PDB file of all heavy atoms in Angstrom:
ATOM      1  N   SER A   1       3.740  17.221   8.273  1.00  0.00           N
ATOM      2  CA  SER A   1       2.547  16.590   8.931  1.00  0.00           C
ATOM      3  C   SER A   1       2.915  15.067   9.183  1.00  0.00           C
ATOM      4  O   SER A   1       2.671  14.608  10.332  1.00  0.00           O
ATOM      5  CB  SER A   1       1.325  16.641   8.091  1.00  0.00           C
ATOM      6  OG  SER A   1       0.979  17.968   7.935  1.00  0.00           O
ATOM      7  N   VAL A   2       3.416  14.400   8.171  1.00  0.00           N
ATOM      8  CA  VAL A   2       3.773  12.974   8.251  1.00  0.00           C
ATOM      9  C   VAL A   2       4.820  12.730   9.304  1.00  0.00           C
ATOM     10  O   VAL A   2       4.819  11.884  10.089  1.00  0.00           O
ATOM     11  CB  VAL A   2       4.020  12.426   6.873  1.00  0.00           C
ATOM     12  CG1 VAL A   2       4.602  11.005   6.945  1.00  0.00           C
ATOM     13  CG2 VAL A   2       2.811  12.327   5.989  1.00  0.00           C
ATOM     14  N   SER A   3       5.836  13.568   9.167  1.00  0.00           N
ATOM     15  CA  SER A   3       7.054  13.507  10.109  1.00  0.00           C
ATOM     16  C   SER A   3       6.536  13.765  11.537  1.00  0.00           C
ATOM     17  O   SER A   3       6.993  13.028  12.513  1.00  0.00           O
ATOM     18  CB  SER A   3       8.093  14.351   9.688  1.00  0.00           C
ATOM     19  OG  SER A   3       8.630  13.964   8.482  1.00  0.00           O
ATOM     20  N   LYS A   4       5.792  14.807  11.782  1.00  0.00           N
ATOM     21  CA  LYS A   4       5.313  15.152  13.152  1.00  0.00           C
ATOM     22  C   LYS A   4       4.332  14.109  13.744  1.00  0.00           C
ATOM     23  O   LYS A   4       4.268  13.852  14.931  1.00  0.00           O
ATOM     24  CB  LYS A   4       4.579  16.544  13.132  1.00  0.00           C
ATOM     25  CG  LYS A   4       5.593  17.627  12.964  1.00  0.00           C
ATOM     26  CD  LYS A   4       6.501  17.773  14.185  1.00  0.00           C
ATOM     27  CE  LYS A   4       7.378  18.950  14.012  1.00  0.00           C
ATOM     28  NZ  LYS A   4       8.335  19.036  15.227  1.00  0.00           N
ATOM     29  N   SER A   5       3.594  13.386  12.843  1.00  0.00           N
ATOM     30  CA  SER A   5       2.632  12.422  13.315  1.00  0.00           C
ATOM     31  C   SER A   5       3.363  11.061  13.808  1.00  0.00           C
ATOM     32  O   SER A   5       2.807  10.330  14.458  1.00  0.00           O
ATOM     33  CB  SER A   5       1.655  11.946  12.184  1.00  0.00           C
ATOM     34  OG  SER A   5       2.368  11.123  11.234  1.00  0.00           O
ATOM     35  N   GLY A   6       4.626  11.005  13.391  1.00  0.00           N
ATOM     36  CA  GLY A   6       5.341   9.850  13.787  1.00  0.00           C
ATOM     37  C   GLY A   6       5.247   8.675  12.869  1.00  0.00           C
ATOM     38  O   GLY A   6       5.822   7.566  13.050  1.00  0.00           O
ATOM     39  N   VAL A   7       4.459   8.868  11.840  1.00  0.00           N
ATOM     40  CA  VAL A   7       4.347   7.789  10.811  1.00  0.00           C
ATOM     41  C   VAL A   7       5.590   7.492  10.128  1.00  0.00           C
ATOM     42  O   VAL A   7       5.971   6.275  10.056  1.00  0.00           O
ATOM     43  CB  VAL A   7       3.212   8.168   9.822  1.00  0.00           C
ATOM     44  CG1 VAL A   7       3.156   7.093   8.710  1.00  0.00           C
ATOM     45  CG2 VAL A   7       1.796   8.244  10.468  1.00  0.00           C
ATOM     46  N   LYS A   8       6.261   8.478   9.712  1.00  0.00           N
ATOM     47  CA  LYS A   8       7.501   8.330   8.918  1.00  0.00           C
ATOM     48  C   LYS A   8       8.145   9.676   8.696  1.00  0.00           C
ATOM     49  O   LYS A   8       7.507  10.634   8.571  1.00  0.00           O
ATOM     50  CB  LYS A   8       7.142   7.790   7.542  1.00  0.00           C
ATOM     51  CG  LYS A   8       8.287   7.517   6.574  1.00  0.00           C
ATOM     52  CD  LYS A   8       7.766   6.769   5.272  1.00  0.00           C
ATOM     53  CE  LYS A   8       8.917   6.210   4.573  1.00  0.00           C
ATOM     54  NZ  LYS A   8       8.485   5.273   3.517  1.00  0.00           N
ATOM     55  N   TYR A   9       9.440   9.721   8.813  1.00  0.00           N
ATOM     56  CA  TYR A   9      10.290  10.929   8.427  1.00  0.00           C
ATOM     57  C   TYR A   9      10.510  10.894   6.980  1.00  0.00           C
ATOM     58  O   TYR A   9      11.082   9.904   6.413  1.00  0.00           O
ATOM     59  CB  TYR A   9      11.505  11.126   9.234  1.00  0.00           C
ATOM     60  CG  TYR A   9      12.281  12.344   8.720  1.00  0.00           C
ATOM     61  CD1 TYR A   9      11.860  13.558   9.141  1.00  0.00           C
ATOM     62  CD2 TYR A   9      13.215  12.244   7.844  1.00  0.00           C
ATOM     63  CE1 TYR A   9      12.460  14.743   8.659  1.00  0.00           C
ATOM     64  CE2 TYR A   9      13.864  13.380   7.298  1.00  0.00           C
ATOM     65  CZ  TYR A   9      13.430  14.622   7.797  1.00  0.00           C
ATOM     66  OH  TYR A   9      14.020  15.781   7.237  1.00  0.00           O
ATOM     67  N   ILE A  10      10.170  11.937   6.327  1.00  0.00           N
ATOM     68  CA  ILE A  10      10.401  11.998   4.864  1.00  0.00           C
ATOM     69  C   ILE A  10      10.517  13.466   4.561  1.00  0.00           C
ATOM     70  O   ILE A  10       9.843  14.363   5.026  1.00  0.00           O
ATOM     71  CB  ILE A  10       9.270  11.220   3.993  1.00  0.00           C
ATOM     72  CG1 ILE A  10       9.609  11.100   2.584  1.00  0.00           C
ATOM     73  CG2 ILE A  10       7.933  11.967   4.215  1.00  0.00           C
ATOM     74  CD1 ILE A  10       8.782  10.175   1.861  1.00  0.00           C
ATOM     75  N   ALA A  11      11.394  13.670   3.611  1.00  0.00           N
ATOM     76  CA  ALA A  11      11.670  15.063   3.089  1.00  0.00           C
ATOM     77  C   ALA A  11      11.826  15.053   1.647  1.00  0.00           C
ATOM     78  O   ALA A  11      12.880  14.548   1.101  1.00  0.00           O
ATOM     79  CB  ALA A  11      12.926  15.758   3.839  1.00  0.00           C
ATOM     80  N   THR A  12      10.881  15.349   0.887  1.00  0.00           N
ATOM     81  CA  THR A  12      11.008  15.234  -0.605  1.00  0.00           C
ATOM     82  C   THR A  12       9.859  16.162  -1.240  1.00  0.00           C
ATOM     83  O   THR A  12       9.215  16.847  -0.597  1.00  0.00           O
ATOM     84  CB  THR A  12      10.774  13.811  -1.018  1.00  0.00           C
ATOM     85  OG1 THR A  12      10.981  13.621  -2.415  1.00  0.00           O
ATOM     86  CG2 THR A  12       9.348  13.199  -0.680  1.00  0.00           C
ATOM     87  N   ASN A  13       9.737  16.078  -2.470  1.00  0.00           N
ATOM     88  CA  ASN A  13       8.790  16.861  -3.189  1.00  0.00           C
ATOM     89  C   ASN A  13       7.537  15.990  -3.449  1.00  0.00           C
ATOM     90  O   ASN A  13       7.399  14.712  -3.076  1.00  0.00           O
ATOM     91  CB  ASN A  13       9.338  17.477  -4.446  1.00  0.00           C
ATOM     92  CG  ASN A  13       9.887  16.356  -5.433  1.00  0.00           C
ATOM     93  OD1 ASN A  13       9.516  15.204  -5.370  1.00  0.00           O
ATOM     94  ND2 ASN A  13      10.620  16.860  -6.367  1.00  0.00           N
ATOM     95  N   ALA A  14       6.530  16.432  -4.203  1.00  0.00           N
ATOM     96  CA  ALA A  14       5.266  15.797  -4.459  1.00  0.00           C
ATOM     97  C   ALA A  14       5.597  14.461  -5.269  1.00  0.00           C
ATOM     98  O   ALA A  14       5.015  13.366  -4.928  1.00  0.00           O
ATOM     99  CB  ALA A  14       4.260  16.624  -5.242  1.00  0.00           C
ATOM    100  N   GLN A  15       6.419  14.522  -6.260  1.00  0.00           N
ATOM    101  CA  GLN A  15       6.816  13.289  -6.993  1.00  0.00           C
ATOM    102  C   GLN A  15       7.497  12.275  -6.141  1.00  0.00           C
ATOM    103  O   GLN A  15       7.269  11.130  -6.218  1.00  0.00           O
ATOM    104  CB  GLN A  15       7.767  13.638  -8.199  1.00  0.00           C
ATOM    105  CG  GLN A  15       8.021  12.526  -9.070  1.00  0.00           C
ATOM    106  CD  GLN A  15       6.858  12.070  -9.864  1.00  0.00           C
ATOM    107  OE1 GLN A  15       6.248  12.865 -10.659  1.00  0.00           O
ATOM    108  NE2 GLN A  15       6.510  10.822  -9.773  1.00  0.00           N
ATOM    109  N   GLY A  16       8.397  12.746  -5.181  1.00  0.00           N
ATOM    110  CA  GLY A  16       9.065  11.790  -4.360  1.00  0.00           C
ATOM    111  C   GLY A  16       8.113  11.192  -3.382  1.00  0.00           C
ATOM    112  O   GLY A  16       8.237   9.952  -3.084  1.00  0.00           O
ATOM    113  N   LEU A  17       7.121  11.921  -2.896  1.00  0.00           N
ATOM    114  CA  LEU A  17       6.119  11.338  -2.022  1.00  0.00           C
ATOM    115  C   LEU A  17       5.176  10.278  -2.717  1.00  0.00           C
ATOM    116  O   LEU A  17       5.028   9.261  -2.183  1.00  0.00           O
ATOM    117  CB  LEU A  17       5.095  12.436  -1.472  1.00  0.00           C
ATOM    118  CG  LEU A  17       5.679  13.223  -0.394  1.00  0.00           C
ATOM    119  CD1 LEU A  17       4.923  14.560  -0.074  1.00  0.00           C
ATOM    120  CD2 LEU A  17       5.823  12.494   0.964  1.00  0.00           C
ATOM    121  N   TYR A  18       4.970  10.563  -4.010  1.00  0.00           N
ATOM    122  CA  TYR A  18       4.157   9.588  -4.780  1.00  0.00           C
ATOM    123  C   TYR A  18       5.050   8.421  -5.000  1.00  0.00           C
ATOM    124  O   TYR A  18       4.521   7.200  -4.896  1.00  0.00           O
ATOM    125  CB  TYR A  18       3.778  10.237  -6.170  1.00  0.00           C
ATOM    126  CG  TYR A  18       3.296   9.230  -7.164  1.00  0.00           C
ATOM    127  CD1 TYR A  18       1.894   8.959  -7.089  1.00  0.00           C
ATOM    128  CD2 TYR A  18       3.999   8.656  -8.229  1.00  0.00           C
ATOM    129  CE1 TYR A  18       1.278   8.106  -7.991  1.00  0.00           C
ATOM    130  CE2 TYR A  18       3.428   7.786  -9.063  1.00  0.00           C
ATOM    131  CZ  TYR A  18       2.115   7.437  -8.915  1.00  0.00           C
ATOM    132  OH  TYR A  18       1.601   6.495  -9.872  1.00  0.00           O
ATOM    133  N   ASN A  19       6.293   8.562  -5.323  1.00  0.00           N
ATOM    134  CA  ASN A  19       7.202   7.364  -5.444  1.00  0.00           C
ATOM    135  C   ASN A  19       7.363   6.437  -4.191  1.00  0.00           C
ATOM    136  O   ASN A  19       7.557   5.344  -4.322  1.00  0.00           O
ATOM    137  CB  ASN A  19       8.532   7.824  -6.033  1.00  0.00           C
ATOM    138  CG  ASN A  19       8.492   8.465  -7.285  1.00  0.00           C
ATOM    139  OD1 ASN A  19       7.433   8.356  -8.097  1.00  0.00           O
ATOM    140  ND2 ASN A  19       9.554   9.220  -7.667  1.00  0.00           N
ATOM    141  N   ALA A  20       7.131   7.105  -2.960  1.00  0.00           N
ATOM    142  CA  ALA A  20       7.401   6.422  -1.794  1.00  0.00           C
ATOM    143  C   ALA A  20       6.007   5.631  -1.363  1.00  0.00           C
ATOM    144  O   ALA A  20       6.090   4.978  -0.360  1.00  0.00           O
ATOM    145  CB  ALA A  20       7.906   7.412  -0.722  1.00  0.00           C
ATOM    146  N   CYS A  21       5.058   5.828  -2.061  1.00  0.00           N
ATOM    147  CA  CYS A  21       3.644   5.345  -1.662  1.00  0.00           C
ATOM    148  C   CYS A  21       3.365   4.014  -2.336  1.00  0.00           C
ATOM    149  O   CYS A  21       3.805   3.773  -3.504  1.00  0.00           O
ATOM    150  CB  CYS A  21       2.527   6.318  -2.061  1.00  0.00           C
ATOM    151  SG  CYS A  21       2.363   7.701  -0.861  1.00  0.00           S
ATOM    152  N   THR A  22       2.513   3.198  -1.761  1.00  0.00           N
ATOM    153  CA  THR A  22       1.768   2.142  -2.350  1.00  0.00           C
ATOM    154  C   THR A  22       0.549   2.814  -2.968  1.00  0.00           C
ATOM    155  O   THR A  22      -0.109   3.563  -2.285  1.00  0.00           O
ATOM    156  CB  THR A  22       1.429   1.120  -1.315  1.00  0.00           C
ATOM    157  OG1 THR A  22       2.576   0.585  -0.695  1.00  0.00           O
ATOM    158  CG2 THR A  22       0.624  -0.024  -1.900  1.00  0.00           C
ATOM    159  N   HIS A  23       0.326   2.537  -4.124  1.00  0.00           N
ATOM    160  CA  HIS A  23      -0.826   3.173  -4.821  1.00  0.00           C
ATOM    161  C   HIS A  23      -2.084   2.430  -4.530  1.00  0.00           C
ATOM    162  O   HIS A  23      -2.139   1.208  -4.484  1.00  0.00           O
ATOM    163  CB  HIS A  23      -0.542   3.332  -6.214  1.00  0.00           C
ATOM    164  CG  HIS A  23       0.861   4.017  -6.627  1.00  0.00           C
ATOM    165  ND1 HIS A  23       1.877   3.423  -7.273  1.00  0.00           N
ATOM    166  CD2 HIS A  23       1.290   5.195  -6.153  1.00  0.00           C
ATOM    167  CE1 HIS A  23       2.858   4.211  -7.206  1.00  0.00           C
ATOM    168  NE2 HIS A  23       2.564   5.199  -6.483  1.00  0.00           N
ATOM    169  N   VAL A  24      -3.079   3.135  -4.304  1.00  0.00           N
ATOM    170  CA  VAL A  24      -4.432   2.585  -3.775  1.00  0.00           C
ATOM    171  C   VAL A  24      -5.451   3.170  -4.776  1.00  0.00           C
ATOM    172  O   VAL A  24      -5.304   4.430  -5.238  1.00  0.00           O
ATOM    173  CB  VAL A  24      -4.883   2.807  -2.410  1.00  0.00           C
ATOM    174  CG1 VAL A  24      -3.849   2.076  -1.470  1.00  0.00           C
ATOM    175  CG2 VAL A  24      -4.840   4.340  -2.009  1.00  0.00           C
ATOM    176  N   SER A  25      -6.617   2.425  -4.890  1.00  0.00           N
ATOM    177  CA  SER A  25      -7.676   3.058  -5.806  1.00  0.00           C
ATOM    178  C   SER A  25      -8.510   3.977  -4.981  1.00  0.00           C
ATOM    179  O   SER A  25      -8.415   4.052  -3.787  1.00  0.00           O
ATOM    180  CB  SER A  25      -8.651   1.836  -6.263  1.00  0.00           C
ATOM    181  OG  SER A  25      -9.213   1.395  -5.157  1.00  0.00           O
ATOM    182  N   ARG A  26      -9.245   4.833  -5.716  1.00  0.00           N
ATOM    183  CA  ARG A  26     -10.100   5.830  -5.135  1.00  0.00           C
ATOM    184  C   ARG A  26     -11.057   5.146  -4.089  1.00  0.00           C
ATOM    185  O   ARG A  26     -11.255   5.574  -3.015  1.00  0.00           O
ATOM    186  CB  ARG A  26     -10.877   6.519  -6.141  1.00  0.00           C
ATOM    187  CG  ARG A  26     -11.829   7.604  -5.584  1.00  0.00           C
ATOM    188  CD  ARG A  26     -12.504   8.391  -6.694  1.00  0.00           C
ATOM    189  NE  ARG A  26     -11.645   9.121  -7.542  1.00  0.00           N
ATOM    190  CZ  ARG A  26     -11.657  10.534  -7.663  1.00  0.00           C
ATOM    191  NH1 ARG A  26     -12.623  11.217  -6.950  1.00  0.00           N
ATOM    192  NH2 ARG A  26     -10.876  11.115  -8.358  1.00  0.00           N
ATOM    193  N   GLU A  27     -11.549   3.892  -4.523  1.00  0.00           N
ATOM    194  CA  GLU A  27     -12.434   3.262  -3.645  1.00  0.00           C
ATOM    195  C   GLU A  27     -11.898   2.677  -2.350  1.00  0.00           C
ATOM    196  O   GLU A  27     -12.506   2.545  -1.301  1.00  0.00           O
ATOM    197  CB  GLU A  27     -13.137   1.947  -4.373  1.00  0.00           C
ATOM    198  CG  GLU A  27     -13.840   2.249  -5.642  1.00  0.00           C
ATOM    199  CD  GLU A  27     -13.019   2.731  -6.847  1.00  0.00           C
ATOM    200  OE1 GLU A  27     -11.920   2.298  -6.992  1.00  0.00           O
ATOM    201  OE2 GLU A  27     -13.587   3.633  -7.590  1.00  0.00           O
ATOM    202  N   ASP A  28     -10.523   2.364  -2.413  1.00  0.00           N
ATOM    203  CA  ASP A  28      -9.746   1.932  -1.294  1.00  0.00           C
ATOM    204  C   ASP A  28      -9.074   2.928  -0.466  1.00  0.00           C
ATOM    205  O   ASP A  28      -8.466   2.674   0.600  1.00  0.00           O
ATOM    206  CB  ASP A  28      -8.761   0.808  -1.706  1.00  0.00           C
ATOM    207  CG  ASP A  28      -9.388  -0.535  -2.212  1.00  0.00           C
ATOM    208  OD1 ASP A  28     -10.515  -0.778  -1.691  1.00  0.00           O
ATOM    209  OD2 ASP A  28      -8.786  -1.085  -2.995  1.00  0.00           O
ATOM    210  N   ALA A  29      -9.200   4.170  -0.861  1.00  0.00           N
ATOM    211  CA  ALA A  29      -8.504   5.263  -0.198  1.00  0.00           C
ATOM    212  C   ALA A  29      -9.137   5.504   1.239  1.00  0.00           C
ATOM    213  O   ALA A  29     -10.404   5.360   1.341  1.00  0.00           O
ATOM    214  CB  ALA A  29      -8.587   6.639  -1.018  1.00  0.00           C
ATOM    215  N   ARG A  30      -8.272   5.769   2.121  1.00  0.00           N
ATOM    216  CA  ARG A  30      -8.670   5.949   3.527  1.00  0.00           C
ATOM    217  C   ARG A  30      -8.167   7.316   4.021  1.00  0.00           C
ATOM    218  O   ARG A  30      -7.148   7.764   3.547  1.00  0.00           O
ATOM    219  CB  ARG A  30      -8.142   4.907   4.431  1.00  0.00           C
ATOM    220  CG  ARG A  30      -8.622   3.417   4.066  1.00  0.00           C
ATOM    221  CD  ARG A  30      -8.081   2.424   5.137  1.00  0.00           C
ATOM    222  NE  ARG A  30      -6.678   2.490   5.399  1.00  0.00           N
ATOM    223  CZ  ARG A  30      -5.956   1.473   5.521  1.00  0.00           C
ATOM    224  NH1 ARG A  30      -6.368   0.219   5.164  1.00  0.00           N
ATOM    225  NH2 ARG A  30      -4.660   1.593   5.854  1.00  0.00           N
ATOM    226  N   PRO A  31      -8.907   7.867   5.120  1.00  0.00           N
ATOM    227  CA  PRO A  31      -8.363   9.095   5.698  1.00  0.00           C
ATOM    228  C   PRO A  31      -6.879   8.899   6.139  1.00  0.00           C
ATOM    229  O   PRO A  31      -6.524   7.812   6.718  1.00  0.00           O
ATOM    230  CB  PRO A  31      -9.234   9.345   6.862  1.00  0.00           C
ATOM    231  CG  PRO A  31     -10.523   8.730   6.385  1.00  0.00           C
ATOM    232  CD  PRO A  31     -10.102   7.475   5.661  1.00  0.00           C
ATOM    233  N   GLY A  32      -5.979   9.898   5.739  1.00  0.00           N
ATOM    234  CA  GLY A  32      -4.562   9.792   6.040  1.00  0.00           C
ATOM    235  C   GLY A  32      -3.712   9.319   4.916  1.00  0.00           C
ATOM    236  O   GLY A  32      -2.587   9.655   4.800  1.00  0.00           O
ATOM    237  N   ASP A  33      -4.447   8.838   3.813  1.00  0.00           N
ATOM    238  CA  ASP A  33      -3.659   8.637   2.601  1.00  0.00           C
ATOM    239  C   ASP A  33      -3.405   9.867   1.895  1.00  0.00           C
ATOM    240  O   ASP A  33      -3.919  10.915   2.310  1.00  0.00           O
ATOM    241  CB  ASP A  33      -4.539   7.756   1.657  1.00  0.00           C
ATOM    242  CG  ASP A  33      -4.697   6.213   2.029  1.00  0.00           C
ATOM    243  OD1 ASP A  33      -3.836   5.805   2.913  1.00  0.00           O
ATOM    244  OD2 ASP A  33      -5.592   5.554   1.606  1.00  0.00           O
ATOM    245  N   LEU A  34      -2.518   9.802   0.973  1.00  0.00           N
ATOM    246  CA  LEU A  34      -2.231  11.003   0.255  1.00  0.00           C
ATOM    247  C   LEU A  34      -2.974  11.142  -1.096  1.00  0.00           C
ATOM    248  O   LEU A  34      -3.276   9.946  -1.786  1.00  0.00           O
ATOM    249  CB  LEU A  34      -0.663  11.126  -0.038  1.00  0.00           C
ATOM    250  CG  LEU A  34       0.088  11.011   1.261  1.00  0.00           C
ATOM    251  CD1 LEU A  34       1.709  11.174   0.929  1.00  0.00           C
ATOM    252  CD2 LEU A  34      -0.265  12.102   2.294  1.00  0.00           C
ATOM    253  N   ILE A  35      -3.213  12.268  -1.528  1.00  0.00           N
ATOM    254  CA  ILE A  35      -3.904  12.461  -2.840  1.00  0.00           C
ATOM    255  C   ILE A  35      -2.964  13.284  -3.772  1.00  0.00           C
ATOM    256  O   ILE A  35      -2.384  14.240  -3.269  1.00  0.00           O
ATOM    257  CB  ILE A  35      -5.358  12.962  -2.787  1.00  0.00           C
ATOM    258  CG1 ILE A  35      -5.957  13.119  -4.038  1.00  0.00           C
ATOM    259  CG2 ILE A  35      -5.268  14.300  -2.018  1.00  0.00           C
ATOM    260  CD1 ILE A  35      -7.523  13.435  -4.090  1.00  0.00           C
ATOM    261  N   PHE A  36      -2.800  12.861  -4.955  1.00  0.00           N
ATOM    262  CA  PHE A  36      -1.751  13.490  -5.805  1.00  0.00           C
ATOM    263  C   PHE A  36      -2.503  13.980  -7.091  1.00  0.00           C
ATOM    264  O   PHE A  36      -3.484  13.527  -7.586  1.00  0.00           O
ATOM    265  CB  PHE A  36      -0.729  12.408  -6.265  1.00  0.00           C
ATOM    266  CG  PHE A  36       0.039  11.908  -5.203  1.00  0.00           C
ATOM    267  CD1 PHE A  36      -0.355  10.709  -4.624  1.00  0.00           C
ATOM    268  CD2 PHE A  36       1.112  12.628  -4.721  1.00  0.00           C
ATOM    269  CE1 PHE A  36       0.406  10.106  -3.494  1.00  0.00           C
ATOM    270  CE2 PHE A  36       1.824  12.029  -3.638  1.00  0.00           C
ATOM    271  CZ  PHE A  36       1.407  10.755  -3.063  1.00  0.00           C
ATOM    272  N   PHE A  37      -1.882  15.058  -7.641  1.00  0.00           N
ATOM    273  CA  PHE A  37      -2.376  15.776  -8.782  1.00  0.00           C
ATOM    274  C   PHE A  37      -1.210  16.050  -9.724  1.00  0.00           C
ATOM    275  O   PHE A  37      -0.078  16.118  -9.299  1.00  0.00           O
ATOM    276  CB  PHE A  37      -3.021  17.120  -8.419  1.00  0.00           C
ATOM    277  CG  PHE A  37      -4.144  16.931  -7.443  1.00  0.00           C
ATOM    278  CD1 PHE A  37      -3.922  16.980  -6.008  1.00  0.00           C
ATOM    279  CD2 PHE A  37      -5.402  16.655  -7.831  1.00  0.00           C
ATOM    280  CE1 PHE A  37      -4.942  16.741  -5.126  1.00  0.00           C
ATOM    281  CE2 PHE A  37      -6.488  16.482  -6.961  1.00  0.00           C
ATOM    282  CZ  PHE A  37      -6.230  16.527  -5.643  1.00  0.00           C
ATOM    283  N   HIS A  38      -1.453  16.207 -11.025  1.00  0.00           N
ATOM    284  CA  HIS A  38      -0.587  16.469 -12.154  1.00  0.00           C
ATOM    285  C   HIS A  38      -0.806  17.815 -12.760  1.00  0.00           C
ATOM    286  O   HIS A  38      -1.869  18.272 -12.649  1.00  0.00           O
ATOM    287  CB  HIS A  38      -0.571  15.258 -13.133  1.00  0.00           C
ATOM    288  CG  HIS A  38      -1.794  15.367 -13.977  1.00  0.00           C
ATOM    289  ND1 HIS A  38      -1.916  16.016 -15.088  1.00  0.00           N
ATOM    290  CD2 HIS A  38      -3.032  14.724 -13.757  1.00  0.00           C
ATOM    291  CE1 HIS A  38      -3.158  15.824 -15.636  1.00  0.00           C
ATOM    292  NE2 HIS A  38      -3.922  14.992 -14.784  1.00  0.00           N
ATOM    293  N   SER A  39       0.201  18.331 -13.406  1.00  0.00           N
ATOM    294  CA  SER A  39       0.024  19.499 -14.234  1.00  0.00           C
ATOM    295  C   SER A  39      -0.440  20.748 -13.560  1.00  0.00           C
ATOM    296  O   SER A  39      -1.148  21.500 -14.142  1.00  0.00           O
ATOM    297  CB  SER A  39      -0.776  19.141 -15.491  1.00  0.00           C
ATOM    298  OG  SER A  39      -0.194  18.124 -16.082  1.00  0.00           O
ATOM    299  N   THR A  40      -0.194  20.856 -12.283  1.00  0.00           N
ATOM    300  CA  THR A  40      -0.571  22.100 -11.508  1.00  0.00           C
ATOM    301  C   THR A  40       0.485  23.194 -11.584  1.00  0.00           C
ATOM    302  O   THR A  40       0.193  24.303 -11.189  1.00  0.00           O
ATOM    303  CB  THR A  40      -1.017  21.848 -10.104  1.00  0.00           C
ATOM    304  OG1 THR A  40       0.100  21.258  -9.479  1.00  0.00           O
ATOM    305  CG2 THR A  40      -2.160  20.873 -10.032  1.00  0.00           C
ATOM    306  N   ASP A  41       1.708  22.861 -11.850  1.00  0.00           N
ATOM    307  CA  ASP A  41       2.900  23.739 -12.029  1.00  0.00           C
ATOM    308  C   ASP A  41       3.769  23.330 -13.067  1.00  0.00           C
ATOM    309  O   ASP A  41       3.641  22.096 -13.536  1.00  0.00           O
ATOM    310  CB  ASP A  41       3.679  23.714 -10.680  1.00  0.00           C
ATOM    311  CG  ASP A  41       3.031  24.353  -9.494  1.00  0.00           C
ATOM    312  OD1 ASP A  41       2.622  25.542  -9.709  1.00  0.00           O
ATOM    313  OD2 ASP A  41       2.899  23.806  -8.436  1.00  0.00           O
ATOM    314  N   SER A  42       4.597  24.085 -13.535  1.00  0.00           N
ATOM    315  CA  SER A  42       5.508  23.770 -14.582  1.00  0.00           C
ATOM    316  C   SER A  42       6.703  23.238 -13.967  1.00  0.00           C
ATOM    317  O   SER A  42       7.575  23.872 -13.383  1.00  0.00           O
ATOM    318  CB  SER A  42       6.002  24.966 -15.462  1.00  0.00           C
ATOM    319  OG  SER A  42       4.734  25.510 -16.253  1.00  0.00           O
ATOM    320  N   THR A  43       6.866  21.829 -13.990  1.00  0.00           N
ATOM    321  CA  THR A  43       8.035  21.097 -13.556  1.00  0.00           C
ATOM    322  C   THR A  43       8.401  20.003 -14.460  1.00  0.00           C
ATOM    323  O   THR A  43       7.418  19.724 -15.246  1.00  0.00           O
ATOM    324  CB  THR A  43       7.943  20.625 -12.122  1.00  0.00           C
ATOM    325  OG1 THR A  43       7.042  19.498 -12.074  1.00  0.00           O
ATOM    326  CG2 THR A  43       7.394  21.599 -11.108  1.00  0.00           C
ATOM    327  N   ARG A  44       9.302  19.267 -14.276  1.00  0.00           N
ATOM    328  CA  ARG A  44       9.715  18.136 -15.133  1.00  0.00           C
ATOM    329  C   ARG A  44       9.066  16.866 -14.514  1.00  0.00           C
ATOM    330  O   ARG A  44       9.035  15.858 -15.174  1.00  0.00           O
ATOM    331  CB  ARG A  44      11.228  17.955 -15.258  1.00  0.00           C
ATOM    332  CG  ARG A  44      11.895  17.785 -13.960  1.00  0.00           C
ATOM    333  CD  ARG A  44      13.445  17.615 -14.161  1.00  0.00           C
ATOM    334  NE  ARG A  44      14.065  17.659 -12.926  1.00  0.00           N
ATOM    335  CZ  ARG A  44      14.307  16.457 -12.248  1.00  0.00           C
ATOM    336  NH1 ARG A  44      14.025  15.322 -12.744  1.00  0.00           N
ATOM    337  NH2 ARG A  44      14.998  16.617 -10.995  1.00  0.00           N
ATOM    338  N   ASN A  45       8.488  16.963 -13.322  1.00  0.00           N
ATOM    339  CA  ASN A  45       7.821  15.849 -12.678  1.00  0.00           C
ATOM    340  C   ASN A  45       6.387  15.684 -13.174  1.00  0.00           C
ATOM    341  O   ASN A  45       5.674  16.741 -13.464  1.00  0.00           O
ATOM    342  CB  ASN A  45       7.920  16.010 -11.125  1.00  0.00           C
ATOM    343  CG  ASN A  45       9.188  16.011 -10.599  1.00  0.00           C
ATOM    344  OD1 ASN A  45      10.009  15.233 -10.959  1.00  0.00           O
ATOM    345  ND2 ASN A  45       9.415  16.898  -9.690  1.00  0.00           N
TER     346      ASN A  45
END
């Protein structure tokens, strides 16, 4: 989605996307920002 939108080409996993982001508070979040979750799968990330 991000690559097709022209915003940025990126190919990575959820952790890599998190690492590539500037972190924003819930109050400052805007449509188009990413939302991240933990412990939904068994991974080392």
Side-chain angles (χ1 to χ4, degrees):
S1 298
V2 169
S3 296
K4 288 295 183 182
S5 74
V7 171
K8 182 175 192 167
Y9 175 78
I10 191 165
T12 187
N13 59 20
Q15 184 71 55
L17 284 162
Y18 174 79
N19 295 345
C21 282
T22 300
H23 307 120
V24 296
S25 68
R26 185 180 289 243
E27 297 76 32
D28 292 331
R30 300 187 310 229
D33 287 341
L34 304 183
I35 183 170
F36 298 95
F37 301 92
H38 67 90
S39 306
T40 60
D41 286 309
S42 296
T43 72
R44 59 184 172 90
N45 295 319

